Amino acid sequence: MIETEKKEERVLLIGVELQGMDSFDLSMEELASLAKTAGAVVVDSYRQKREKYDSKTFVGSGKLEEIALMVDAEEITTVIVNNRLTPRQNVNLEEVLGVKVIDRMQLILDIFAMRARSHEGKLQVHLAQLKYLLPRLVGQGIMLSRQAGGIGSRGPGESQLELNRRSVRNQITDIERQLKVVEKNRATVREKRLESSTFKIGLIGYTNAGKSTIMNILTSKTQYEADELFATLDATTKSIHLGGNLQVTLTDTVGFIQDLPTELVSSFKSTLEESKHVDLLVHVIDASNPYHEEHEKTVLSIMKDLDMEDIPH
């Protein structure tokens, strides 16, 4: 097991903008918000325009020297890259910079690990983390960045991750077995709900758009809500009486974000499917957010990937 210490992480963000890239500024702002959500102190950010990512060090050797000086001068403890790094890039960056380096995907997985509350949610997050980590394990299975602890090393519920290669494979098999049982039970409950004539409504939207707030207002019940990313992970379904004999169910589930790790989409399939079996989808958009149009496009794109386009919304 890897021991982690509770200490302030001074973070430097790195982003590379390729030609024709859309929403780069939004993506970098989100990266800063994600880092803060994970408990980091964002000290500075480094941006570079390139035609393509450097296959060895992501930013190119010349710029990497500048970043190394910045890391030393600002006493940076963690560098977060706004992209999915290859295992090779990750190791090379850590060797040059001398500090822990994680990517956007790893950061999101870490936040999901912090947020997971239900048994199913913890299993889903743990599975996603292990699938992400497996190709990144080196030697006996300890990736360099894991030795520092902190952001990127947390398991579900902020427990610790076991990073032995054989152990990871065994854990993946075991968790997939457990999830099949959980998903079977969820499917049984869902089928009973589908057999009902009750009209079913699902809330969908970008993370922190206000879905849980709407859920609480309409149901007069308390579901955790906060002005932070991924405050809600578990799907919640509640009944609402709209007057007369009209009774409906309302389902709230995890919010979406740009570049949502494929490992999470796969692991949270059963949770996301709660929003597929409804009569109406209510797309919640925070119009006060300057990037609300980009948020809407992202949600619609993910809906398409999940085969949810045909559901009235």
Side-chain angles (χ1 to χ4, degrees):
M1 303 292 284
I2 307 301
E3 294 186 2
T4 59
E5 297 180 6
K6 293 286 185 179
K7 61 180 181 180
E8 178 181 276
E9 290 197 54
R10 294 174 57 80
V11 166
L12 173 67
L13 308 179
I14 295 179
V16 172
E17 182 178 7
L18 302 183
Q19 291 182 351
M21 181 178 285
D22 295 327
S23 306
F24 178 72
D25 289 338
L26 164 61
S27 184
M28 287 298 291
E29 286 187 24
E30 281 184 349
L31 188 67
S33 295
L34 288 166
K36 292 173 184 175
T37 297
V41 175
V42 178
V43 178
D44 207 342
S45 64
Y46 184 94
R47 303 182 181 204
Q48 181 187 23
K49 291 186 177 181
R50 289 178 59 90
E51 292 185 359
K52 63 179 181 179
Y53 303 121
D54 187 281
S55 61
K56 294 181 179 179
T57 54
F58 186 70
V59 293
S61 57
K63 294 298 181 182
L64 189 56
E65 292 179 5
E66 295 179 16
I67 295 173
L69 292 175
M70 190 182 300
V71 166
D72 185 56
E74 299 291 346
E75 298 182 339
I76 300 299
T77 59
T78 304
V79 169
I80 304 178
V81 178
N82 192 27
N83 201 70
R84 181 185 286 263
L85 295 173
T86 66
R88 181 187 184 189
Q89 288 172 329
N90 210 136
V91 171
N92 289 342
L93 283 171
E94 289 188 335
E95 287 181 349
V96 174
L97 300 178
V99 296
K100 178 175 63 176
V101 176
I102 65 174
D103 61 21
R104 181 186 179 96
M105 313 307 162
Q106 197 172 337
L107 176 60
I108 293 176
L109 288 169
D110 191 79
I111 293 171
F112 268 60
M114 292 170 57
R115 293 282 188 259
R117 294 292 180 267
S118 70
H119 176 61
E120 181 182 15
K122 290 179 180 180
L123 286 175
Q124 290 170 325
V125 173
H126 200 180
L127 179 62
Q129 285 184 310
L130 293 174
K131 286 184 174 180
Y132 173 88
L133 287 171
L134 187 58
R136 289 166 169 76
L137 299 180
V138 295
Q140 293 299 313
I142 303 299
M143 193 170 73
L144 180 60
S145 66
R146 285 296 177 281
Q147 297 177 5
I151 298 174
S153 64
R154 288 176 285 219
E158 298 195 62
S159 59
Q160 299 164 332
L161 290 172
E162 176 66 49
L163 298 177
N164 173 275
R165 189 184 295 273
R166 179 182 296 178
S167 172
V168 167
R169 289 198 179 98
N170 290 339
Q171 287 180 74
I172 288 175
T173 300
D174 181 57
I175 292 174
E176 288 178 335
R177 178 187 58 77
Q178 293 183 62
L179 278 176
K180 284 183 180 179
V181 175
V182 175
E183 289 167 6
K184 184 177 180 180
N185 293 335
R186 178 187 286 277
T188 300
V189 173
R190 185 190 302 132
E191 286 174 7
K192 290 182 179 179
R193 198 161 62 236
L194 290 174
E195 291 173 358
S196 169
S197 59
T198 303
F199 192 79
K200 292 166 279 293
I201 303 173
L203 296 177
I204 196 168
Y206 212 76
T207 180
N208 202 28
K211 297 185 301 301
S212 295
T213 300
I214 291 177
M215 182 83 158
N216 287 336
I217 292 173
L218 293 177
T219 61
S220 299
K221 295 181 180 178
T222 302
Q223 174 158 319
Y224 180 71
E225 57 178 280
D227 184 18
E228 54 192 23
L229 304 182
F230 301 117
T232 302
L233 291 190
D234 300 307
T236 303
T237 299
K238 297 178 181 178
S239 296
I240 307 175
H241 185 255
L242 297 180
N245 295 321
L246 184 57
Q247 190 88 10
V248 303
T249 60
L250 187 64
T251 297
D252 179 23
T253 189
V254 61
F256 298 144
I257 195 170
Q258 276 195 107
D259 302 319
L260 190 65
T262 54
E263 294 88 355
L264 276 176
V265 175
S266 174
S267 296
F268 273 76
K269 183 179 178 182
S270 64
T271 299
L272 293 171
E273 282 186 345
E274 287 296 302
S275 294
K276 293 180 68 173
H277 301 281
V278 296
D279 301 300
L280 174 68
L281 277 175
V282 175
H283 185 175
V284 179
I285 301 172
D286 179 5
S288 68
N289 191 301
Y291 296 110
H292 68 271
E293 292 183 355
E294 287 87 346
H295 290 178
E296 181 181 5
K297 291 177 182 177
T298 296
V299 172
L300 293 176
S301 175
I302 295 176
M303 285 177 61
K304 181 178 180 180
D305 293 340
L306 295 173
D307 297 322
M308 297 170 64
E309 286 183 299
D310 294 334
I311 303 174
H313 59 280

